Amino acid sequence: MLTMEELLRQMQPITLEQMSSVKLMNRTDTKFVTTMPRLLLLLEMAKQDYFVQDINGQRNMLYDTTYFDTDSFAMYCEHQHGFANRQKIRFRTYVSSHLQFMEIKTKNNHGRTKKKRIEVTDMNLHDDVKRDFIAQRLHFGVDTLQPHMHNFFHRVTLVNSAKTERLTIDTQLEFNNLLTGCSREMGPLVIIELKRDGLVPSPVLDMLRQLHIHPHGFSKYCMGAAMTNASLPVNRFKEKLRYVEKTLKLEN
């Protein structure tokens, strides 16, 4: 079996400029949880049907993200209680391209995700530009927000030949809780997310089914927080947490 890097090198590249028509800022998301051995099989199957994002020769990029929440964990609790309309706010640094954005994600009760973002140079919430952006788009007051969770991961982005979808593949996840000081490395765990503008045909779905990789929700903020802060309620996440722990145990 080839390594991940070798498989990615066999795929045709696509640049950020060429991907401009596949931004999908208003989209449907489907997540899948798997492990590195199955990911390698998927990449082997997908290499003829997908481009891989390439930035200055890099195809597996480091992302650095900090999630904010209220002091009462309101955004975490909305997700944990299953609210259909919910939001998250984060600062994400795209290390390879030296860009940082403040991003607000809103998921509505129709299963669609809208993402709004602005480019920033720091995480200071007290400047007028950030405060105005938050006031216009977030359901929570800016003065209630504080950093809660920091994570790192490496991401590969694939684009199908028709340029109607993106597939992001996250590996080497690491969670660092800024309130408790607890950290968790996720080893061989892989998070795949299929992002489409509606239910357009997707060549990767049949490949995932063949590999028995099934849809499985995984919020990096919520799962990371649940794993590193014992004081948070986890009722709705218990099954997901057990599934992740079982998956990791099988690979070790």
Side-chain angles (χ1 to χ4, degrees):
M1 174 64 69
L2 297 177
T3 67
M4 182 176 175
E5 289 70 25
E6 290 169 337
L7 288 166
L8 293 177
R9 285 295 158 195
Q10 292 184 353
M11 302 179 78
Q12 292 297 312
I14 187 170
T15 66
L16 284 173
E17 292 74 21
Q18 292 170 325
M19 287 176 57
S20 60
S21 62
V22 204
K23 289 181 180 177
L24 304 179
M25 303 299 275
N26 180 5
R27 67 195 187 220
T28 59
D29 298 339
T30 309
K31 292 183 180 179
F32 305 81
V33 177
T34 188
T35 56
M36 187 59 69
R38 286 193 180 180
L39 171 61
L40 297 180
L41 294 173
L42 178 65
L43 291 175
E44 181 68 43
M45 296 168 69
K47 64 184 181 182
Q48 301 302 325
D49 296 298
Y50 284 82
F51 301 102
V52 60
Q53 177 182 283
D54 186 297
I55 300 177
N56 298 324
Q58 296 188 55
R59 301 187 176 188
N60 189 13
M61 269 70 79
L62 176 63
Y63 284 45
D64 180 343
T65 309
T66 299
Y67 288 90
F68 280 61
D69 203 338
T70 69
D71 50 11
S72 60
F73 303 93
M75 285 176 256
Y76 172 91
C77 290
E78 283 191 351
H79 198 143
Q80 203 277 141
H81 292 308
F83 287 15
N85 291 288
R86 55 182 183 258
Q87 292 186 301
K88 292 189 181 70
I89 179 170
R90 68 192 182 197
F91 287 81
R92 172 161 287 175
T93 302
Y94 299 78
V95 178
S96 299
S97 54
H98 308 290
L99 295 174
Q100 184 181 47
F101 293 90
M102 181 174 70
E103 304 178 340
I104 295 175
K105 292 180 67 176
T106 302
K107 188 166 187 176
N108 66 24
N109 56 4
H110 299 293
R112 296 192 72 87
T113 301
K114 294 184 179 180
K115 183 170 74 173
K116 299 292 184 181
R117 69 182 188 180
I118 55 171
E119 188 173 350
V120 297
T121 58
D122 57 49
M123 293 189 290
N124 177 12
L125 295 182
H126 298 295
D127 68 70
D128 291 340
V129 174
K130 295 194 195 75
R131 292 182 71 89
D132 289 346
F133 183 83
I134 292 170
Q136 292 172 23
R137 293 168 178 84
L138 194 69
H139 303 155
F140 304 95
V142 62
D143 293 324
T144 69
L145 302 176
Q146 61 176 313
H148 281 238
M149 173 63 56
H150 182 221
N151 70 33
F152 294 99
F153 57 90
H154 283 77
R155 170 168 289 183
V156 171
T157 300
L158 306 183
V159 177
N160 66 330
S161 299
K163 297 183 181 177
T164 57
E165 69 180 36
R166 282 190 286 123
L167 193 73
T168 60
I169 301 167
D170 297 342
T171 61
Q172 298 175 257
L173 281 80
E174 178 182 336
F175 300 116
N176 301 298
N177 195 302
L178 300 176
L179 300 182
T180 67
C182 293
S183 297
R184 181 73 188 271
E185 294 183 7
M186 303 309 295
L189 199 75
V190 176
I191 309 301
I192 299 171
E193 187 168 6
L194 174 61
K195 306 173 183 184
R196 295 180 286 170
D197 186 4
L199 298 177
V200 296
S202 169
V204 81
L205 284 177
D206 186 55
M207 302 175 198
L208 290 163
R209 280 191 289 267
Q210 290 181 52
L211 294 170
H212 304 289
I213 301 173
H214 306 295
H216 196 282
F218 190 101
S219 161
K220 291 187 189 68
Y221 170 54
C222 292
M223 296 299 284
M227 291 178 180
T228 57
N229 188 340
S231 69
L232 292 176
V234 297
N235 294 348
R236 188 169 176 267
F237 297 143
K238 281 183 178 179
E239 183 178 345
K240 296 180 187 296
L241 290 167
R242 281 197 294 264
Y243 180 85
V244 168
E245 296 294 355
K246 180 181 178 181
T247 302
L248 290 174
K249 186 176 180 180
L250 289 173
E251 289 298 321
N252 292 326

